[in-house]
Every structure is written in C-alpha cells, then in structure tokens.
C-alpha cells in the first residue's frame, strides 16, 4: 500500500506496482508442470498459482507464445544471364555482297538527292523550261526539255524535267523551273513540300544503307567495344562520303 495524493491508501498491482485501477485486470495462470517456476522459499509448490512477469503475458494474463519461424523461400529458378555476344565473324561472301549492294543503293539515292538538296537550301538558278517530249504517266513519267536561265545566263538543251504535272506534259508547254547550275542535267518544276521530300527521303535511305552495312558485315557483332565502335563508324562513313561526293558534283 502506498499513500495517494490525499493520504488515503491505494491498492497496487503486485507484479508491476502500479495502482490496480490503472492497469488491465489479469487472471493468474496455472503453469504446466514442465514450465512451472521454482517456488519461493517457504511456499508450497503443488497447485500454487503463479503470477508471471507482465512482459511474458498478454493483457488478460495469457502467456506469450513464441511464433514459429517461417522458412525463407529460396528461388530455385536459375538466374538469367545475358548471352555473350557472338564472336565469330559472319559469312564473308554474304557480307561482301551486302556491302556492294547497299553501297550501290546509297550511291543512287545520294545522286538523286543532291540536286533537290541544293535547291532546298537556296543554291539554284531560276528560269523557264519548254517541254519537248514526255513519255509515260504518274511515277513512270519521263520528260525532256530546253531550259533557259533568267537574264540569258545560259541555255541547256535536252535536260531532264522533273515534277511536270500530268495535264501540262504536252510538248511545247512552257513552265517555270530551276537548276543548280549550267552543268546540271535536270530542271526541277515542282516546289514546296514535294521538293523537300525528294532530298529528305533520299538521305534517310542513305543513312539506312549505312546501318545495313554495319549490320550485315558484322561490325556490330565484334566482341571488343572499341573495335565495334570503329567498325560501325566506318560502315556509316562510306555512304556519307558517297553523298558528299555527289553534293560537291551537283554544286
């Protein structure tokens, strides 16, 4: 018993020493015979009620039980490993054939894109072209004519005329056109988005040819990263140099 604030006796809980009305009420638990604690000296052992410490019981006096440990799950699936890069070179015959075919394809599209590229950036000579002959229709249409530059700077006979509308392909028709210079062999009639598509699509095909050369010649499959980068750059440099040559020739 301890004195309270008003000096009146207060009943305390025997295990914790706290006032009885401040802690949940618990009931004494009879311990199993194998787990029964040794009795204090001077007390009887059999049948005596035992108050375990509050750390070992629930709020209602039920003893705490140790939870069984669950076995940790171990993954039996094999770890995914990245397949090593193939070190063997590709078939040399197929690689050489792909190199030649893609180089020729890149050269063709670089040739047909050089003139429209210079026209798109403003390097052109304006004038008029007189249609002398047209054959075919649509994408297969082929026209020839005579181009006369403005201010009589030069006159070009038998030039190929590109972008002639189907309804104006009659021989003798005069159309405004542009050429990159007196040494060019093509006069371009179309303007606007059509003129930009001519060089843009062509240069995209040239870039695709460089990627194809790097793939089919085995440049992207070299095991050493430094050698792989150099070989890939060389594969793209070939079509780029071809395009540069045609651009200089079309100037």
């Amino acid at each position: 018993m301890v004195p309270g604030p008003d000096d009146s006796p207060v009943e305390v809980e025997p295990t914790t020493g706290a006032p009885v009305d401040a802690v949940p009420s618990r009931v004494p638990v009879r311990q199993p015979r194998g787990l029964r604690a040794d009795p204090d000296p001077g007390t009887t052992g059999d049948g005596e009620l035992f108050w375990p410490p509050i750390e070992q019981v629930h709020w209602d006096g039920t003893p705490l039980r140790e939870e069984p440990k669950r076995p940790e799950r171990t993954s039996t699936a094999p770890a995914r490993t990245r397949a090593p890069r193939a070190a063997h070179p590709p078939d040399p015959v197929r690689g050489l054939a792909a190199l030649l075919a893609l180089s020729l394809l890149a050269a063709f599209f670089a040739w047909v894109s050089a003139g429209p590229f210079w026209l798109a950036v403003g390097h052109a000579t304006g004038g008029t072209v007189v249609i002398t002959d047209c054959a075919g229709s649509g994408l297969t249409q082929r026209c020839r004519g005579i181009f006369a530059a403005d201010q009589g700077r030069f006159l070009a006979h038998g030039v190929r005329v590109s972008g002639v509308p189907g309804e104006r392909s009659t021989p003798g028709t005069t159309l405004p056109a542009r050429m990159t210079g007196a040494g060019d062999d093509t006069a371009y009639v179309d303007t606007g988005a059509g003129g930009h598509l001519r060089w843009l699509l062509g240069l995209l095909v040239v870039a695709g040819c460089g990627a194809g050369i790097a793939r089919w010649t085995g440049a992207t499959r070299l095991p050493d990263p430094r050698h792989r980068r150099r070989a890939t750059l060389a594969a793209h440099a070939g079509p780029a140099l071809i395009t540069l040559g045609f651009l200089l020739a079309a100037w």
Side-chain angles (χ1 to χ4, degrees):
M1 306 292 288
V2 296
D6 54 355
D7 296 333
S8 59
V10 178
E11 184 179 1
V12 297
E13 206 274 334
T15 304
T16 62
V20 174
D21 56 354
V23 296
S25 60
R26 298 187 291 114
V27 296
V29 179
R30 185 181 299 276
Q31 296 292 319
R33 184 175 299 275
L35 300 178
R36 190 173 299 168
D38 296 336
D40 295 335
T43 60
T44 59
D46 294 335
E48 184 178 352
L49 297 179
F50 173 70
W51 288 83
I54 195 171
E55 294 85 1
Q56 300 179 6
V57 295
H58 291 288
W59 65 273
D60 59 351
T62 306
L64 296 176
R65 295 182 180 180
E66 184 178 358
E67 296 291 336
K69 295 183 179 180
R70 297 181 179 180
E72 297 181 358
R73 295 183 179 180
T74 57
S75 177
T76 58
R80 295 183 179 180
T81 57
R82 187 176 181 180
R85 187 181 296 270
H88 58 83
D91 184 6
V93 177
R94 294 176 57 186
L96 182 60
L99 174 62
L100 294 177
L102 292 176
S103 297
L104 292 176
L105 185 64
F108 172 76
F109 279 97
W111 170 58
V112 299
S113 302
F117 174 79
W118 289 126
L119 295 179
V121 298
H123 178 69
T125 301
T128 57
V129 63
V130 179
I131 303 298
T132 58
D133 179 53
C134 274
S137 61
L139 296 177
T140 62
Q141 178 178 269
R142 299 291 182 270
C143 295
R144 293 281 178 177
I146 302 173
F147 179 82
D150 292 338
Q151 301 176 358
R153 283 180 286 183
F154 63 88
L155 185 66
H157 293 269
V159 296
R160 187 167 59 92
V161 184
S162 175
V164 178
E167 64 276 7
R168 305 191 66 181
S169 59
T170 305
T173 304
T174 301
L175 299 172
R178 295 180 299 167
M179 291 182 64
T180 57
D184 195 7
D185 60 351
T186 304
Y188 298 90
V189 175
D190 51 352
T191 57
H196 289 284
L197 286 177
R198 288 182 180 274
W199 68 268
L200 182 59
L201 295 179
L203 294 186
L204 287 177
V205 173
V206 172
C209 290
I213 291 174
R215 171 66 179 85
W216 291 104
T217 57
T220 58
R221 287 179 285 175
L222 294 176
D224 185 79
R226 180 180 300 178
H227 295 166
R228 186 166 61 250
R229 286 193 296 267
R230 291 179 178 177
T232 303
L233 289 177
H236 286 276
L241 291 176
I242 293 175
T243 304
L244 181 61
F246 279 106
L247 288 175
L248 294 177
W251 175 269

